[in-house]
Amino acid sequence: MKKLSVVAVGSALMFAALPASAEDLPPPPFISAVAISDGQIDAAVTRLDSLAEALMKKTGIPGMAVAVVKEGKTVYAKGFGIRRVGAPDKVDADTVFQLASLSKAVAGTVVAHEVGAGRVSWETPVIEYLPWFRLKDPWVSEHVTIADLMSHRSGLPDHGGDNLEDIGFDRRAVMERLRLLPLDPFRISYAYTNFGFTSGAEAVAVSAGKDWATLSEDALYKPLGMASTSSRFADFDTRANKVVNHVPVNGSFAPKYQRQPDAQSPAGGVSSSVNDMARWMAMVLEGGTYEGKPIIDAEALLPAISAQMISGPSSAVAARPGFYGYGFNVSINPAGRVQLSHSGAFSSGAATAFTMLPSAGVGIIVLTNAWPLGAPEALAAEFTDLVQFGKIERDWLAAYGARLAAVNRPTGSLVGKERPRNPAPAARLSDYVGTYSSDYYGTLDIVRSGEGLAVRLGPAGKPYKLAHWDGDAFTFEPSSENATDGSISLATFKKQASSFGSVTLESLDENGLGTFARK
């Protein structure tokens, strides 16, 4: 067997076959436990058609697109299925999908471009460009950096701010309200936050004097020739060759919701095709260059694609930890290789994933137009198994599907419970009617609706019908990216003296901020 030696080529590290000798061996950090035999990657590529078709048949998802890059070239790009149930249009390698949280890795490379250009550094404090930005702790507000926010170590709670977007607040309004969220210890706590991440990216856009979508175009999409890629929903919406997202309806997939993610565009708002994303993967795997053309400075890119924060502490001494870079999951896989990855999911009907093996110069991306069932992650895992081991090691769909089931599960403590048979009576409905307010969520109106009540919440003002539960407790059915169909929320009114002084919405109370005081 030939030995591998690490050879410096420009600023990138490449592996070359050289005669075996002790001094030619790569240093220990570069050694993988399992060698990849000649032709094994190509053999894995030949299996993709049948693997993709099998996953689609098993899950029922309408459409999928897949691409593979190897040594800087696209070696596979293909579409499967249809763009929309009930229409004949087929998915191909140029069909545009919403990437969901896979957008974070793309955003990480946009910021790396700006770092390489010298406009910012990863350690630039965010308030340098967003002087109005604050978190609950004044010291953290002064010191939190682009790197802190894009590695999810700011102390913000998990998915902090997402509910604000659900009820209609725009990016600036959500970011301003992050100051009211409780914080975990700074730089030693990991919690995945779309709007924390977005805040870091927004500071970079301001430093460039551009909006985020334009910066992404200028720094990345145009130089890479990604003509079908955008960080604006309006661009996705006007594409002729695009998918429609699907959710389960009466036992099969159907189009029902359309996610508009501009508020968190850096974290979840990219749309693209697998042909375009293959160019991006090739650039990352080639250390910031594409077809010999420099796109991102390698030294600026390296922090984004290397471990910066422990995202998954070891559950046992023999278990490998997980890490996060700046928009990338970074792990050591069972073959002993560094693996870069990210998944994306919209409960409104999209699921995506990529996996890259830098030491092998290979990456795969999988995009689908159905809510998250684990299919993109499973196909990527099956492929990387074949690349490294020559066989599929386990039932990856079962493994990922079990974890992702929680993403789709309806929320609320009353889900699955029967209504009380003999509930305590409510007060007069007119006693509940009025305007209530919260510093975090803004204004809530309780209004009459037919014979009953409804709640109107946030800038969107969408009404939700209230149904009496017990005493001064009512229920409604929220419907949003963070509350899938079937979710139930309590709305509990509390008396102060002779009138109702507040109402608490269970669906908004995760961080203890779901109580609205009567005006």
Side-chain angles (χ1 to χ4, degrees), residues 428-507:
R428 293 179 305 172
L429 296 186
S430 59
D431 290 346
Y432 302 109
V433 171
T435 297
Y436 301 73
S437 67
S438 155
D439 290 341
Y440 186 65
Y441 289 110
T443 298
L444 174 154
D445 289 311
I446 302 297
V447 298
R448 292 299 301 263
S449 176
E451 297 296 318
L453 297 173
V455 55
R456 292 182 182 272
L457 182 64
K462 181 178 178 179
Y464 294 95
K465 186 176 180 180
L466 292 174
H468 183 243
W469 179 264
D470 188 25
D472 296 320
F474 294 75
T475 63
F476 65 98
E477 298 180 2
S479 177
S480 69
E481 181 62 27
N482 295 286
T484 56
D485 290 352
S487 295
I488 300 173
S489 176
L490 274 167
T492 306
F493 293 85
K494 185 176 181 180
K495 266 197 170 181
Q496 291 178 348
S498 60
S499 64
F500 290 101
S502 66
V503 58
T504 299
L505 302 189
E506 180 190 20
S507 58

Side-chain angles (χ1 to χ4, degrees), residues 68-148:
V68 173
V69 298
K70 174 189 173 186
E71 297 173 356
K73 304 290 184 183
T74 302
V75 296
Y76 181 94
K78 190 169 182 179
F80 302 85
I82 54 177
R83 299 183 222 162
R84 178 189 177 106
V85 167
D89 300 321
K90 302 290 186 182
V91 173
D92 59 37
D94 290 313
T95 300
V96 178
F97 292 73
Q98 291 186 292
L99 301 190
S101 284
L102 199 153
S103 303
K104 293 181 177 68
V106 177
T109 56
V110 172
V111 175
H113 176 276
E114 295 301 286
V115 172
R119 280 183 275 274
V120 294
S121 79
W122 289 109
E123 301 307 324
T124 297
V126 170
I127 63 166
E128 186 171 326
Y129 293 103
L130 305 179
W132 47 266
F133 183 80
R134 293 289 183 273
L135 297 178
K136 197 170 185 67
D137 184 302
W139 191 92
V140 174
S141 298
E142 295 291 327
H143 292 84
V144 66
T145 65
I146 295 165
D148 293 325

Side-chain angles (χ1 to χ4, degrees), residues 141-223:
S141 298
E142 295 291 327
H143 292 84
V144 66
T145 65
I146 295 165
D148 293 325
L149 289 165
M150 297 189 76
S151 60
H152 306 297
R153 65 186 186 211
S154 66
L156 284 167
D158 184 66
H159 285 83
D162 284 6
N163 282 338
L164 292 171
E165 182 193 16
D166 282 348
I167 62 175
F169 285 99
D170 63 18
R171 185 184 308 173
R172 174 68 181 259
V174 175
M175 290 166 57
E176 287 178 341
R177 284 165 169 77
L178 295 180
R179 74 187 190 280
L180 299 171
L181 289 171
L183 292 178
D184 285 328
F186 184 43
R187 292 184 178 157
I188 61 171
S189 304
Y190 176 89
Y192 189 86
T193 59
N194 289 307
F195 282 97
F197 188 97
T198 293
S199 299
E202 184 70 6
V204 178
V206 172
S207 77
K210 303 175 182 180
D211 64 84
W212 175 257
T214 301
L215 174 62
S216 300
E217 288 175 354
D218 294 345
L220 199 66
Y221 307 155
K222 289 178 181 178

Side-chain angles (χ1 to χ4, degrees), residues 119-408:
R119 280 183 275 274
V120 294
S121 79
W122 289 109
E123 301 307 324
T124 297
V126 170
I127 63 166
E128 186 171 326
Y129 293 103
L130 305 179
W132 47 266
F133 183 80
R134 293 289 183 273
L135 297 178
K136 197 170 185 67
D137 184 302
W139 191 92
V140 174
S141 298
E142 295 291 327
H143 292 84
V144 66
T145 65
I146 295 165
D148 293 325
L149 289 165
M150 297 189 76
S151 60
H152 306 297
R153 65 186 186 211
S154 66
L156 284 167
D158 184 66
H159 285 83
D162 284 6
N163 282 338
L164 292 171
E165 182 193 16
D166 282 348
I167 62 175
F169 285 99
D170 63 18
R171 185 184 308 173
R172 174 68 181 259
V174 175
M175 290 166 57
E176 287 178 341
R177 284 165 169 77
L178 295 180
R179 74 187 190 280
L180 299 171
L181 289 171
L183 292 178
D184 285 328
F186 184 43
R187 292 184 178 157
I188 61 171
S189 304
Y190 176 89
Y192 189 86
T193 59
N194 289 307
F195 282 97
F197 188 97
T198 293
S199 299
E202 184 70 6
V204 178
V206 172
S207 77
K210 303 175 182 180
D211 64 84
W212 175 257
T214 301
L215 174 62
S216 300
E217 288 175 354
D218 294 345
L220 199 66
Y221 307 155
K222 289 178 181 178
L224 280 173
M226 298 170 70
S228 297
T229 304
S230 177
S231 293
R232 294 184 193 88
F233 174 78
D235 292 339
F236 168 76
D237 198 36
T238 56
R239 304 282 187 205
N241 184 3
K242 71 174 185 296
V243 297
V244 173
N245 295 342
H246 296 78
V247 297
V249 178
N250 298 325
S252 60
F253 280 108
K256 187 176 180 181
Y257 303 110
Q258 177 56 67
R259 179 81 163 94
Q260 209 285 41
D262 278 352
Q264 55 166 270
S265 179
V270 179
S271 58
S272 187
S273 67
V274 293
N275 267 339
D276 274 11
M277 289 302 292
R279 292 169 176 257
W280 173 81
M281 285 197 300
M283 181 273 297
V284 172
L285 288 167
E286 293 291 302
T289 66
Y290 181 68
E291 295 183 340
K293 176 185 176 183
I295 304 294
I296 300 173
D297 177 76
E299 290 186 7
L301 176 62
L302 181 60
I305 59 177
S306 56
Q308 302 296 330
M309 182 65 188
I310 297 175
S311 57
S314 298
S315 57
V317 67
R320 294 183 297 274
F323 304 93
Y324 205 84
Y326 303 138
F328 289 78
N329 289 310
V330 182
S331 59
I332 307 300
N333 72 18
R337 285 186 173 80
V338 172
Q339 180 169 297
L340 307 178
S341 65
H342 214 291
S343 293
F346 286 159
S347 292
S348 53
T352 62
F354 75 81
T355 299
M356 299 187 222
L357 303 176
S359 64
V362 66
I364 182 172
I365 184 162
V366 186
L367 309 179
T368 73
N369 61 347
W371 80 344
L373 298 171
E377 294 85 356
L379 184 56
E382 289 172 348
F383 176 75
T384 53
D385 272 0
L386 290 169
V387 164
Q388 297 175 107
F389 307 117
K391 62 179 181 177
I392 297 171
E393 293 288 308
R394 65 182 296 185
D395 183 344
W396 286 107
L397 182 62
Y400 282 111
R403 292 193 173 194
L404 287 167
V407 175
N408 305 326

